[in-house]
Amino acid sequence: MHMKGHMLQLLAERGPMWDYDIADEVMQTYGVTGDYWLGTVRLTLADLFSGGLLDEVETDVDPARSGGAEKLLFKFGLNDFGRSRMQQSGLMGEKTHEHVLRVSGGAGVDGDPDDRAAIAGAVPSADVREEALSETDEATSTDSDAEPAPLATSPPETRSTARVAVIGAGPSGLSQLHAFEQARRAGAEVPEVVCFEKQSDWGGLWNYTWRTGLDQYGDPVHGSMYRYLWSNGPKECLEFADYTFDEHFGKSIPSFPPRDVLFDYITGRAKKSDLRQHIQFDSAVRWISFDTDRGTFDVTVESRPDGSTRTEEFDHVIVATGHFSTPNLPEYPGFDTFPGRIMHSHDVRDAQEFTGKDLLVLGSSYSAEDVSLQSKKYGARSVTIAYRNAPMGFGWPDGITEVPQLERLEGRTAHFVDGTSRDVDTIVMCTGYRHWFPFIEDSLRLRTDNVLYPPDLYKGVVWTGNPKLMYIGMQDQYYTFNMFDAQAWFVRDVVLGRIAVPAREEMEADITAWRERQDALGGPADEIDFQTEYVRELLERVDYAKFDLDLVREHFKVWEHHKEESITGYRDRSFSSPCTGSVGPVHHTPWWDEPDDSLATFLRTE
């Protein structure tokens, strides 16, 4: 098969078949399992039809070139999707539209058309070689010295370049793509990197959507962002060392930006590094397995707009899907008869939904804190926060109170374990998320609670059971974007062979040591120190841009004190950049009084 002009070819000695569907007849009745290699993707003939790459055009009887034996000529056309995939793989010219598949044979034994010889991958004779019907001279070669066409069952040429799959194009996935791109620009030989993103755009959780529940394709909505969300930590603590806020915005900006500003910053670096070229959007990974014989992964991907699926082979897989998309949903007595709405914070989209209502928030961490404040800020009549273990204990504004754990509901009345009760209109469960990877085979699947150092991940990223598999961003997080960068650089260098992965016993001993340290932590200050040292260990092994990590540590601790001083005013404080030293200016309007979270309003100077 000539790589630029000739396409799929399959010849099977058989009886008449013009009353049968080609994929069903050739693939099932005859057991012909010819493989066609599209780049490094193995496709059967049935895959080409059922996967949506081919549209059958016409059939015809063509006995002329078979010595009187009848032949059936199938002429089929590549549709737009198939043509695009072929062009991307360099297997055809840009204007090729249709090709011919000839399936030949005479009558079956004793002339019975249902008595057929099952011959798979039969070698075609020269007189029935496929001829490409092409509209471009680029697509078809008439060079007499062109290499002969191999059978459809021919294996691919050995891949000279490794392939890496990155699952997810949110902050952690973009960090991983950026790490590989920086190495490539520095002259390193980098594998082919392919990123599969389920959403239609990048940014992960920061890619706001109005949708809740299921998206337009019937998948669970990934995003948990809501309107009017502002960063609840200093931007200086998450700053990219190689792409500062000052560089992106051309000036210093306040330390607590809203979602739209952070989305603009995250994607700004991705645009500068031209990362979109590596991403296949609306592409949901449905299954990841490892073939021990080949030593590679099979990644099955669905193109969500048309529902077609394909399986590709990769040498490494990096899971960067995040872990704040699958809600943890506890149940309490009386939920089934509560007359109001019960929802998880994952489905909150606009705090104005709670204007004039009495809201019950279940939880005692960041989501409970912010949903409660946002709801009161935008007009909720009252907010009751029910904690399970301990109250957050902030100096809440009037209208927000904390009570012990919910015991039961009777109609609209919520009863708590301390014997108190109150009527509520809506219940928002800020009860956390599950690490949920149903698309990964059992032996490769991470199972963990939301902790600072998950099990089974060497240096927090390398899967001990198979070091060719990595996970990014799976920790509970003080650090975010810059930690993802540190992890991405480490993973990249493992893939490139710059960092050697030790034996499994040594990896597990290292994990055990870190998790024993984790078990001894005594509170937020200890947790900040712990994660700082984790990030430091990664940074010491890689060539990531330098920044003042100890200043970030100090900023986190000061920020915690600011929250204790004023839970509504801590976002009005300023911090200095650990990368440039510039100090964020005070925002023109106190956060509690600012209803507008747009980028334009935030960047306005007065």
Side-chain angles (χ1 to χ4, degrees), residues 151-174:
L151 293 177
T153 50
S154 298
E157 298 177 0
T158 301
R159 288 188 287 118
S160 59
T161 303
R163 303 188 78 220
V164 177
V166 177
I167 317 302
S172 54
L174 291 176

Side-chain angles (χ1 to χ4, degrees), residues 569-583:
Y570 75 88
R571 286 184 171 100
D572 302 323
R573 303 296 192 105
S574 295
F575 291 82
S576 59
S577 168
C579 308
T580 66
S582 62
V583 178

